[in-house]
Amino acid sequence: MSTDKPAPQPVELPRNAAKAGYLHALREHLDGTREACISWVEYVPGYRGGLEERGPVWVPEDEVVRMRDVRYDEIDIAIESVAAAVPEVVHAPAPPGWPAVLPPPSVSVGEERLAAWLLDAIPPGYRAHETLVAQPLVLAWMAAEHTRQAIDAHTKGYRSAAVELKQYEEPETIQELLEVYSVELDRLHRLLKEVYAVSRYLINAHS
């Protein structure tokens, strides 16, 4: 008997930033829930970026939309029956720089949650402007701008503190200040990478 697996077939992935991918297999659990094994191609920006294949991973079947005029007969016939408990669905890893406090994009992360995270990256006074709160892409742009400006200001402070304060403060105090600047610069650079990752996700989701 042939053990060849069915050929992957194209599907729509409305909850995935890529919007489309391939269906490899199906499986059904004892409680009747069904999962789909999918893969997709994702664009990674930057000079080392390009098109990268993601998956295959298992997701709930309702996250997959079948295309017209595409035959899925072989995949339907080959559906697996899961007779025992299986581990939780394994989602694709988060892209480089993705905030650790947020679920990866392969999980349905709502834009409201992204907006709330972005609001923490800009001055709190902006929370009073409801129009901005409802525009995650605008918040992402503002967060990047504010973070870049903060990096510039901390860098300038780090470079000038020893010269401008040496006649007023003890060397130990200046060294402590430089250490604070160093820690904050590391945090701000990490934050900027996270903001860029969220921005890329939002741009792909709206394109």
Side-chain angles (χ1 to χ4, degrees):
M1 183 176 66
S2 174
T3 58
D4 292 342
K5 295 183 178 180
Q9 298 298 328
V11 290
E12 296 177 5
L13 304 173
R15 302 185 188 179
N16 187 297
K19 300 302 181 185
Y22 288 92
L23 174 63
H24 295 255
L26 296 170
R27 68 184 180 189
E28 184 173 6
H29 297 275
L30 290 176
D31 61 2
T33 58
R34 292 162 60 106
E35 294 174 332
C37 183
I38 62 169
S39 65
W40 65 94
V41 175
E42 185 175 291
Y43 175 72
V44 178
Y47 73 96
R48 290 185 178 178
L51 296 177
E52 292 189 6
E53 185 174 349
R54 303 295 189 189
V57 296
W58 290 96
V59 300
E61 189 183 20
D62 60 8
E63 294 187 10
V64 176
V65 177
R66 301 188 181 198
M67 296 181 176
R68 291 184 179 181
D69 302 324
V70 177
R71 296 181 64 87
Y72 301 95
D73 307 49
E74 294 184 358
I75 294 178
D76 287 330
I77 293 173
I79 186 171
E80 303 174 17
S81 295
V82 183
V86 297
E88 185 179 353
V89 175
V90 178
H91 296 279
W98 189 259
V101 298
L102 294 175
S106 56
V107 181
S108 299
V109 53
E111 291 195 359
E112 290 184 358
R113 186 167 182 180
L114 294 179
W117 181 85
L118 289 165
L119 279 170
D120 289 336
I122 60 178
Y126 287 106
R127 292 177 180 272
H129 302 277
E130 296 182 3
T131 303
L132 295 178
V133 175
Q135 301 294 333
L137 272 174
V138 175
L139 288 175
W141 180 86
M142 293 177 63
E145 284 295 304
H146 280 284
T147 306
R148 282 194 293 263
Q149 292 173 16
I151 289 174
D152 290 343
H154 281 67
T155 301
K156 180 180 179 181
Y158 184 89
R159 292 172 177 173
S160 60
V163 175
E164 297 184 9
L165 293 176
K166 67 178 181 179
Q167 58 181 323
Y168 305 110
E169 296 291 346
E170 295 295 327
E172 294 80 5
T173 302
I174 296 176
Q175 183 59 38
E176 289 178 4
L177 174 60
L178 294 179
E179 291 174 359
V180 170
Y181 271 130
S182 180
V183 170
E184 280 300 294
L185 278 169
D186 287 343
R187 182 187 68 82
L188 288 168
H189 280 292
R190 287 196 303 270
L191 176 60
L192 187 59
K193 290 180 180 179
E194 293 174 346
V195 171
Y196 282 157
V198 172
S199 298
R200 288 193 295 269
Y201 170 78
L202 289 169
I203 290 172
N204 289 334
H206 285 265
S207 61

